Structures are given as C-alpha cells and as structure tokens.
Amino acid sequence: MDTMLEARLQTQQRNTQNTQETSLWSSGFGMKLETVTPFLGKYRPFVGRCCQTCTPKSWESLFHRSIMDLGFCNVILVKEENTRFRGWLVRRLCYFLWSLEQHIPPCRDAPQKIIENTGVQNVISGRVPAGAGEGQVPGLAKKEVQRILGHLQAPLCPFLLRLFSWALLRFLNCVFLNVQLHKGQMKMVHKAAQAGLPLVFLSTHKSLLDGILLPFVLFSQGLGVLRVAWDPRTCSPALRALLKKLGGLFLPPEANLTLDSSEGVLARAVVHAAIEQLLVTRQPLLIFLEELPGAQGPRLSALGQTWLGLVVQAVQVGVVPDAMLVPVAITYDLVPDAPCDVFHALAPLGLWTGALAVLRSLRSWGHSPRVCVRVHLAQPFSLQEYTINARSCWGSRQTLEQLLQPIVLGQCTVVPDTEKEQDWTPATGLLLALKEEDQLLVRRLSRHVLNASVTSSAVMSTAIMATLLLFKHQKGVFLSQLLGEFSWLTEETLLRGFDVGFSGQLRCLVQHTLSLLQAHVALLHVQQGDLLVVPRLGPGLTHLARLSAELLPAFLTCAVRGLLAGRVPPEGPWELQGIELLSQNELYRQILLLLHLLPQDLLLLQPCQSSYCYCQEVLDRLIQCGLLVAEETPGSRPACDTGRQRLSAKLLWKPSGDFTDSDSDDFEEAEGRYFRLSQQSRCPDFFLFLCRLLSPLLKAFAQAATFLHQGQLPDTELGYTEQLLQFLQANAQEEGFFECADPNLAISAIWTFRDLGVLQQTPSPAGPMLYLSPTFTSRENQEKLEQFIRQFICS
C-alpha cells in the first residue's frame, strides 16, 4: 500500500497528470454531482443551551423541549408564499415585494436626545474634570458633539435599507447554496424579545461578510434593523458612510485617548449616551467578540470587549433594568474572503473594492461550487443574572510563569491548586475607564459567551474532510475508504453533542466537499477504477490545518492525549501497552500541565469551570468512548461500590462550582484508582487520531523552543515573529510539517513563552522589545523547555 501511494505521489508531479486531474474535476468524478441539501436529518443534538451554573433562571425560562423538533429554514429562499400577494408576476418580483414588506421602525429625535443626555451635558458645561467646558466655549463643544456623533452613527435610510436588502438577497442566492437557521433557536430569541428587554447579539467573526449577512438574517426574521459595531480599520471612509446609513456603528478615534484628555472625555460621554439611547429604545445590537481570522493578534477582540463593557455599564447604572445576551455563531463550508497572507490581511475595504469583489463572485457563479452557511443562535440569558452569579465563581489565579516554570526547570513536581490567569487582549480607553472589578467581569463574560458560541457551532463537512486528510491520510487515501471514515468521524462528532452542518447521500457529500477543497487536494485515477485523494503539499496543508481547527472543540479528549502519547510508543504493539496501569492522580497532573500550556484563546474554558472539573470531564469522556478501562487493584474497594462511601465534611462544604456528574469529586480518594488502555480493535486508530489533533500547535511550540538559541534577540515582537516564521517554513520544507508553518502559531508560541517567563518584554520607541530572560539563556534550560513540550507530542 505504501509503495503504491508513493508511486502515485511521484506521478502527481509529472506534467501529464495535470490534464488528467483537470478532467476529473470538470467531469464530476465520472458521475453527475448532485446538489447537497443539508440539515435533513431529524436526530441530531440540539445545541446552544446557556450555562446552568451562571444563569439557572434563564436556562429554565427560555427553553422548551418542543422547540427541538421545529427543524431548519433556508433564510435566503424567498417565494411567493413569503409575500402577501399571489400571481405569476409576484413569482418574478417576490424578492422586491418581500423587501418592501419588511418593517423598519422609525428612530425620531435620536441625535437630539443624545446631545441632551445628562452625561454629555455635564461634560459640555465643564462639571466633569477634564471636560470640554474647561477649555472650550459650550457652543463649540456642542458642534464637537455633533461631529463625534456623525462619526459614530447616522440616521437610518429606509429606502436604502430596502434596496440593499433586495440586492443582497439576490447576491446571496448566487453565491451560497443555502443559509440555514434553526427555527427553535429563533423561537427562543423571539421569546426573549417579548420580555421587553433589549437584545444584544454577541457573535464570532469568520468573515467581513458576517457584518452584512447576520443583520440580514435577523432582519428577515422580524427582529428589526440591527445596529452593527464595525471595526473602523476594516472599512474605508466611503464604505463607513454607507454602512452607517444601514445601521453601522463606528467607535470614534478620540474615545481611545487617555483618561485625562478633554477630547477623550467628551467622545466617551457621547458613546455612552448613544449606547444608552439604543438600549432604551430596544434596538438590537450586534457585537463581534472575535477578531477576523486574518488579524495578527489575540482571538478575543479588544473592540468587542469595549462595546460589551458599554452595555454592562449601562445596565449597572440602571439605564435599563436588564439586557438579554444572545451568543451567535456563523459557519461556512469555506470562508468567502479568507486571506492568504496573515500579515497583510487588515487592509481597509473600499467601496469600489467591495463592488469588484461582488462582481467577481457573480462572474464565477455556475463555474465553482457554492458553499453552505449556517447561523447559530444560542439560548439568550440575562446579563443581570450573570453579573450576580458569576462573581461568586471567582477564585485565586496565578500567571503561567508561576504555575509552570518551576515544573519545566525541574524545581517542583506539584501542580499548584489554582487557575491560570492569561489574557492577551489589550484594554482600550473605554474599558480602562471602568473599575478594575468591572473590567474583569467584561473579560470573563466575553470569554464565557465566546465559549457558548463556539460550542453551539455546527461542524461543516470541509472541517471533517480536512481533519481526515491532514491527520490520517497525508500520503493519500482511496475514495472508497474515505467514504467510510467520513461517516465514522461524523458519527463521533454527533455522539459528543456537537451538530454537523450537512446531511444527504454520503457519496454526494464527499464529492461536494472535495470539489470545495479542489485547490488543496489532488485526485488520481488508479487501475482498479477507484480514485486516490492526495493532499497537496505546501500551503495546502496549512489551509487544511486551519479548517481542521474547527473540530477541536468537539473532541475534549484531545486535551489528555499528551499523557497517553508518552505511554504508547508508535512502534510498540498496542496489546502490550494495555498492561501498564495509569494512576488517576498522574492523569490529573498531566491533564493540568497540558491545560496550562495550551493558550486560553484555543481552549476557551468557561471562567465558572475549574480546571479540576475539566480534568474529570476529560477523563469521563475517555472512559465513555472506550479508550480507558477502570482497573481494580487487589485489596481496593471497587470504584462502583458506593455503599460504604460517607459524606465527609470537606465534600459537604465544597463550593457548588466543584461538583461534577462523576463520583470522584473528592480528588484525594483518587489515589487508589487506576486505568489501562482499552484492547478494542478500533482503539489504536482512534487513539492515534486524537493524539494528532493538537500536533500542529505543539510542534510549533517545540520548534520555537529549539529556535531560542538561534534567534536574533533583542528584537521587536513583529521582527521576532517573522524570524520564527521563517524558521518554521524552513523546517517545513525539510521535514514536511507544513501545517506548523502558520503565522498564528508563531504568534501563539511567542506570547506563551512571554507568559512563561522565557521571553521578557520592555518598551522602546520602536515598540515592545523582546529579549531572552536570564533564566533561559543557558542551553540546558532551553532543552528542558523543549523536552517538556515534546512529552505531549505523538510521533
């Protein structure tokens, strides 16, 4: 098999293969490619429930089991039945008539009410320290308020909104196969809106198109015109002017000035007044908590946290009694505008540039396969309820340097019983104006909501296909074998409580997915009449690694694979490895070490969940999927014997956040519990597959540790990132691990080493300068760091 695959890979490089491969794609694999209509299955998990620990009342009141059976609707499928009219002419003008019938609530006197806001008037009159009245005439200050307000927002234009909705509906039908939305999730949002409280949608961010698509979807479902908090860096002035007429909000640049700046004080007062006016009038607000995938920086958006902080502060001061937060996620088969170069992905999008992109999309209509889109609305929850309950879950935290550096250097073996404090998102001027306790509340709330959005997202077919090709079949796989493994991984995903964004005939699904990935996959004919699917080397593997990252949240067991990877050598027989017993205490320790090493932006653990609870959850998942089997040692009480267990005082007084569904809440009783690897026939392949899910990140970390003695330090953060990326790319050419040569992985490695105390940072006129800490200047400590990371890597 290996000889045949290597021969096929060599033939891929020949010139004669190019025409053969082209004919395969154009002919549809020798058969007619059917249209894949997702979401036809009835038996799939209903995802998106809110946290029962932080918001128990919302968990009960806004959900009913009957909504699970409502099914899906295609939002962009508008027919004659969606209008009030009937007839042959209506069938041809249904898009236009539908846009005319959408209700657009009027917004009268909103600018005047913002100017008359008490906070704005106090700044104008000089009753606020560093206010405008200390250096400006009130009349000039009022003009300055109007200028800031014009930068922030503009009055809605109903005619432009209807025209844009009609044009967008036609465009989406040309570009996308469908845009699916669960009716049950929409019913939960409508029920929350009937409570008379403002709705705040907090979304992930996959594409610039999200800011247009999500408001259209919610506008079509009768929720009114959404106010979208855009990033000013992504839009040109002409495009910003258009988006403001459609409901866009742009934070004025003066709002991020220092706290003692008069312009900054006035701008922040205007922004606060505008948000208060939106909440009072119950206009829905959309905030993106994630940075764009091409952005060089942390995953959590500083701008998103700023807007969320404004909402939190408005509720705390009593402008509105409460607000309903709705986690939102959007997933694509393929992201429409995914950047190829991460370092140059944030160029502002101009009006003409956007128009040309639309024309290019329409021109390729019919020549390239259309993608599917799924919009997810998680269960709404009360902000006031979360604020009250979440503060009780806050405990002591330590930095990554305090937690892991003594263990890495061999100075200590005990993992501290505390949580990790790691936040890569910088605080802006508006967020710094809040109290320190409120800043912490906003940061943890944003992480909590983003966790809810990610866990409610459906796994698309391209993510499953990329995972199989990257981690199981980099040398190639026959299409007949790929069909069975695609079905297997889909079932494993559904069994873990995650939904998938597709359904239909298996062969058609696989063919449709391969046609979407044709730029990164090659198809070769074999003599038996089968097809050989081979991932393209180079940037293609990097792209597959980014797609496969969407599958990580579905497999919690990947967090424990580090311990098991060290216990199972790849060359050893699987049957002999099951003899060794694994202590539960050692399992907990290894899971904690790996959890602390992995970035928070990757794990997105809920702030209300302790690491020990997460360890137990991971262990339970390993037992449920059959990888671990409990082993009773001689003379010990069986783990299933609960008759002699007593409720100790420590268990009775344990905080509520530390309870799990398992009977092993008291970790001191875990000393006598042991496990062994299962001997089932399917376990080796499944185990090795889980072991490789995090290999791109961990291999990048290990290579970054190797690069410490080769890098030129001190250097700026951007300069050292480029150095490390060049080193990763050079290693990729030599070793073939192209999935590690990703700029995002290089940035994560540098920031993790900075938190670990390996790299230190000092300010300079050219920006923050990085240099090697005195502890890790010795080659011995650098090797200890590399060995610590490599213990979690499976060959």
Side-chain angles (χ1 to χ4, degrees), residues 137-153:
V137 179
L140 296 177
K142 186 174 181 180
K143 292 182 180 179
E144 182 68 12
V145 170
Q146 294 174 344
R147 186 192 67 81
I148 295 173
L149 190 57
H151 192 287
L152 174 66
Q153 63 181 18

Side-chain angles (χ1 to χ4, degrees), residues 470 474 537-538 541-542 545 692 695-696 699-700 703 727-742 745 790 793-795:
L470 183 65
Q474 276 200 28
L537 300 180
L541 292 182
T542 305
R692 296 183 180 122
S695 58
K699 286 179 181 178
Q703 292 181 18
F727 178 76
L728 295 177
Q729 291 172 345
N731 279 355
Q733 295 291 339
E734 295 177 3
E735 302 176 5
F737 296 126
F738 291 94
E739 60 271 21
C740 301
D742 191 329
L745 297 182
R790 290 195 179 277
I793 300 177
C794 181
S795 302

Side-chain angles (χ1 to χ4, degrees), residues 557 560-570 572-584 587 619 622-623 625-632 674-688 690-691 794:
T557 51
V560 78
R561 62 163 189 79
L563 169 68
L564 303 182
R567 298 300 180 93
V568 185
W574 180 267
E575 292 77 9
L576 297 181
Q577 306 305 326
I579 301 176
E580 182 181 3
L581 296 183
L582 308 175
S583 166
Q584 183 167 329
L587 282 169
L619 193 59
L622 280 174
I623 297 173
C625 68
L627 284 177
L628 285 182
V629 178
E631 181 74 12
E632 306 297 346
Y674 292 88
F675 299 90
R676 59 178 174 82
L677 296 176
S678 175
Q679 299 300 303
Q680 297 179 16
S681 59
R682 71 175 183 88
C683 280
D685 290 339
F686 187 41
F687 165 73
L688 294 176
L690 292 177
C691 285
C794 181

Side-chain angles (χ1 to χ4, degrees), residues 343 699-708 710-712 715 717-731 740-751 753 759:
F343 286 100
K699 286 179 181 178
F701 279 20
Q703 292 181 18
T706 306
F707 182 68
L708 287 175
Q710 302 180 22
Q712 301 297 323
D715 195 359
E717 184 178 293
L718 180 60
Y720 191 68
T721 302
E722 292 178 349
Q723 288 187 50
L724 178 58
L725 182 60
Q726 292 175 4
F727 178 76
L728 295 177
Q729 291 172 345
N731 279 355
C740 301
D742 191 329
N744 290 326
L745 297 182
I747 295 170
S748 296
I750 291 174
W751 288 354
F753 285 3
L759 299 174

